[in-house]
Amino acid sequence: MAQLSDDCFVFGGPMQPVDEVAALIASRLSAVEESEAIPLALADGRVLAKDMVALLPLPPFTNSAVDGYALRGEDLPETAEIAFPVSGRIQAGMSPGQSILSGEAMRIFTGAPMPDGADTVFMQEDVRLDDSGRVVLPPGLKRGANVRPKGEDIAEGKVALPAGHRMRPQDVALAAALGMTEVEVRRRIRVAIFSTGDEIVAPGSIRGPAQLFDSNRFMLTAMLARLGCDITDLGILADDGGLIAGKLADAAAAHDLILTSGGVSTGEADYVKAAVESIGTLVFWRVAIKPGRPVAMGVVRGTAFIGLPGNPVASFVTFAHVARAAILTLAGARLEPLIARPVRAAFSYRKKEGRREYVRVSLRTVGDGSYEAVKFPREGAGLLSSLVETDGLVELGEKVTRVEPGETVRFLSYSDLN
Ligand code: AMP
Ligand code: MG
């Protein structure tokens, strides 16, 4: 495990601003060191352990971009069409054999290597054959047209993908095109997760009249899985300080991160916070974020700990804006800034200065094709329907105190938060 020291975070006051939390995470957490070589077919979602260097230019040879006729650029008809004898035929996968001579054309197909001397290709749709089998080429084509030069996509020796990159399908394609069969990736980070609360029971078990089925653990597990974590599910723990402390200590021995939900606010029944303090260090436990606020971060026996609030919406939002950065940092992934889409607010809103707020919204298109954000009508942090029936979050910065209809606001899609 990556060992953290108990004082690896600095306590910055009672309510930690979101940006300070992000800076602390980036500067104090370090990536797991171990890496492994895995088959390329399993690489989607994994984090590259080192730069992937192109050992080959792409394309590896200059080739035709179309089905047509290749010729030397200096022979291109300038003002009137010219008929050329067709001196050969090159199909994809063949080597061109002979080079092209002045005054000749060659039949060529998409992806076939350009013959020596040729640098331009006419599309077959733009030419015709005359009675003696010569190809008649019209004037006006630019030299170099319809040719894909060697290395135009990726130059040999270039860093094709940097260390820390999280592989996507198109990145897997690039690695394959470079001839790689394996990639060197960081090992998956090991995350232990549990829910807390006497009122929480697992779906499938008997629910007492004052109990709720555990939804957070399933949501957070799905979010962790999308970030490529190896997950140990520790179930639901009762509100019992000793029990929770024991589980935390056990989990710390074999995991890079312990993620919990519930039990971290100021109430008397907030056993998780107390348990962390009893066997480790709590670095902060309140973040200036809404929904959210009680988000605890700490270190238990060298392992990072993040305690998310129990309310499902608060859990979701703080996972996306606090836990996600910590997870990606531990996993060795480069943190790409989230790309917010500017949209027009279709709502008015009041908020307190000094904290960041996320408003659940649906997008709808307006007359000119732009988008408008419609706020979910209710605000409760326990309303799962408010996440299910919306498209994403409008982010309102610390300084904002009001939003009026028609104002431009920043929209973050749920699909970008994983
Ligand atoms: P807590 O943060 O423990 O005070 O919990 C705040 C609210 O979230 C309470 O209404 C809890 O019942 C609810 N809650 C806590 N944990 C879960 C969970 N795992 N799934 C669904 N709701 C939860
Ligand atoms: Mg609780």
Side-chain angles (χ1 to χ4, degrees):
M1 299 304 108
Q3 285 291 308
L4 304 177
S5 62
D6 278 2
D7 58 355
C8 76
F9 297 102
V10 175
F11 188 59
M15 274 275 228
Q16 205 86 6
V18 181
D19 281 342
E20 263 180 40
V21 168
L24 276 177
I25 286 170
S27 63
R28 304 304 163 89
L29 290 183
S30 49
V32 294
E33 276 166 16
E34 303 94 312
S35 65
E36 54 187 335
I38 58 161
L40 188 56
L42 302 179
D44 185 38
R46 301 299 300 270
V47 176
L48 286 183
K50 50 186 192 199
D51 290 347
M52 184 186 291
V53 176
L55 299 177
L56 185 79
L58 286 183
F61 52 90
T62 299
N63 67 90
S64 177
V66 295
D67 291 343
Y69 293 83
L71 80 169
R72 306 175 80 96
E74 57 272 24
D75 288 349
L76 275 168
E78 278 172 19
T79 51
E81 58 181 33
I82 304 177
F84 291 83
V86 180
S87 66
R89 179 184 170 91
I90 315 161
Q91 278 177 283
M94 281 172 56
S95 53
Q98 82 232 55
S99 50
I100 199 159
L101 302 178
S102 186
E104 287 179 357
M106 271 196 201
R107 184 77 169 113
I108 194 164
F109 295 90
T110 307
M114 290 291 284
D116 277 349
D119 59 12
T120 306
V121 180
F122 278 84
M123 283 173 74
Q124 62 189 24
E125 292 83 347
D126 295 339
V127 308
R128 63 190 163 81
L129 295 178
D130 68 12
D131 294 341
S132 48
R134 292 180 309 173
V135 63
V136 181
L137 306 180
L141 189 66
K142 275 208 341 226
R143 190 169 192 166
N146 300 318
V147 170
R148 304 190 281 217
K150 173 178 173 173
E152 74 160 354
D153 190 2
I154 304 282
E156 185 172 354
K158 188 188 147 182
V159 173
L161 295 169
H165 186 71
R166 270 205 296 161
M167 296 288 280
R168 303 164 298 169
Q170 59 267 48
D171 305 315
V172 177
L174 178 55
L178 292 170
M180 314 198 50
T181 56
E182 290 189 331
V183 282
E184 188 71 19
V185 296
R186 301 260 186 181
R187 74 157 165 82
R188 293 182 187 278
I189 64 163
R190 299 176 192 128
V191 182
I193 181 172
F194 60 83
S195 298
T196 65
D198 291 342
E199 80 282 29
I200 308 298
V201 295
S205 54
I206 293 166
R207 186 186 65 81
Q211 289 187 309
L212 296 175
F213 288 123
D214 181 2
S215 57
N216 287 348
R217 191 160 42 98
F218 293 88
M219 173 179 75
L220 296 172
T221 296
M223 293 171 103
L224 287 169
R226 287 190 178 201
L227 293 178
C229 302
D230 248 346
I231 304 155
T232 308
D233 185 345
L234 299 177
I236 302 165
L237 300 194
D239 284 323
D240 172 335
L243 175 77
I244 295 172
K247 276 283 184 195
L248 287 171
D250 284 352
H255 295 89
D256 304 297
L257 171 68
I258 305 169
L259 182 71
T260 68
S261 75
V264 286
S265 54
T266 34
E268 280 174 13
D270 290 316
Y271 297 95
V272 177
K273 186 168 151 269
V276 171
E277 284 174 315
S278 73
I279 58 164
T281 307
L282 201 59
V283 180
F284 58 80
W285 60 280
R286 295 207 307 164
V287 178
I289 183 172
K290 187 185 170 191
R293 207 173 60 168
V295 182
M297 188 138 184
V299 181
V300 173
R301 309 212 169 146
T303 288
F305 162 83
I306 298 178
L308 302 180
N311 275 310
V313 179
S315 226
F316 182 91
V317 167
T318 53
F319 183 95
H321 294 288
V322 178
R324 178 179 177 274
I327 289 161
L328 291 175
T329 303
L330 289 168
R334 290 160 43 127
L335 275 183
E336 308 292 349
L338 293 172
I339 298 172
R341 177 204 292 260
V343 299
R344 252 174 290 152
F347 58 89
S348 59
Y349 195 74
R350 300 280 172 275
K351 74 177 264 300
K352 275 197 197 140
E353 202 174 338
R355 71 181 178 204
R356 191 174 299 182
E357 291 201 21
Y358 291 94
V359 180
R360 287 148 274 171
V361 299
S362 301
L363 291 188
R364 71 175 175 214
T365 42
V366 282
D368 60 359
S370 64
Y371 287 101
E372 196 172 68
V374 181
K375 182 178 164 298
F376 190 77
R378 287 167 298 142
E379 286 179 19
L383 301 172
L384 276 172
S385 59
S386 70
L387 292 175
V388 170
E389 293 171 16
T390 53
D391 299 313
L393 303 170
V394 161
E395 182 175 75
L396 302 176
E398 284 77 356
K399 293 208 174 77
V400 175
T401 56
R402 58 198 296 163
V403 177
E404 298 301 341
E407 256 177 59
T408 299
V409 289
R410 290 162 50 79
F411 170 80
L412 295 165
S413 166
Y414 292 139
S415 51
D416 290 335
L417 295 177
N418 293 291

